[in-house]
Amino acid sequence: MDLTDCLERVLELRNAPLPRADAAVSTQGGPGYLVLYLSTSEAFWEDRSQANEVWDQFSQDCVGLTEALGGVWGPAESVDLSPVLDRAMQGEAVPALAGLLSNFVPSVSAWRFEDRSVCVGVGQWDTELPVVLVAAAGEL
């Protein structure tokens, strides 16, 4: 992971225009939110032996990014996304970004601003799929 590049990309999320409610959903976001995959590992289809090591490295990268962002925006708030997933599974309405992230990221470090939150976290859609370092902007 290139920390400087990742930091710049996340800082841009603070003021990037969010898609309107009537915008078509894309792979990078949807109505009211943007998602960036800052770093992606290889998939684990054949060999899961390195998965824990990869998770550890991505988690360390996320901590470094969180610290760098904290130097700009102040301390991050830790947000556990498991309650969001639980509410969504029970049919409750949840913010679109929080609902999406809760499917593969257990928790995020977030900064809240007047018009959006910006967050970073590490996740994995399924055990065979890549680990990702993700950044996002929108309503948590």
Side-chain angles (χ1 to χ4, degrees):
M1 176 192 84
D2 179 345
L3 179 60
T4 303
D5 178 60
C6 288
L7 179 61
E8 289 173 8
R9 293 177 67 198
V10 177
L11 289 172
E12 290 173 1
L13 286 174
R14 171 63 189 97
N15 295 312
L18 299 176
R20 297 183 326 267
D22 60 349
V25 175
S26 74
T27 58
Q28 296 180 332
Y33 67 92
L34 293 170
V35 177
L36 299 177
Y37 283 49
L38 300 171
S39 186
T40 304
S41 76
E42 297 294 323
F44 301 100
W45 292 108
E46 302 296 324
D47 182 9
R48 294 237 351 110
S49 66
Q50 301 298 313
N52 289 337
E53 207 172 295
V54 170
W55 259 97
D56 290 345
Q57 182 60 55
F58 274 62
S59 295
Q60 289 174 5
D61 291 346
C62 190
V63 167
L65 182 56
T66 299
E67 289 172 355
L69 290 164
V72 178
W73 292 331
E77 170 190 357
S78 181
V79 179
D80 179 5
L81 294 175
S82 59
V84 174
L85 182 60
D86 292 342
R87 289 195 321 268
M89 297 295 282
Q90 294 172 8
E92 292 182 38
V94 297
L97 175 59
L100 172 73
L101 291 175
S102 71
N103 283 291
F104 73 105
V105 180
S107 65
V108 294
S109 296
W111 294 265
R112 297 190 189 265
F113 302 101
E114 314 78 49
D115 63 336
R116 71 187 70 197
S117 294
V118 177
C119 62
V120 295
V122 176
Q124 186 177 26
W125 283 97
D126 201 353
T127 57
E128 296 85 14
L129 297 177
V131 174
V132 294
L133 174 59
V134 64
E139 181 185 354
L140 282 178

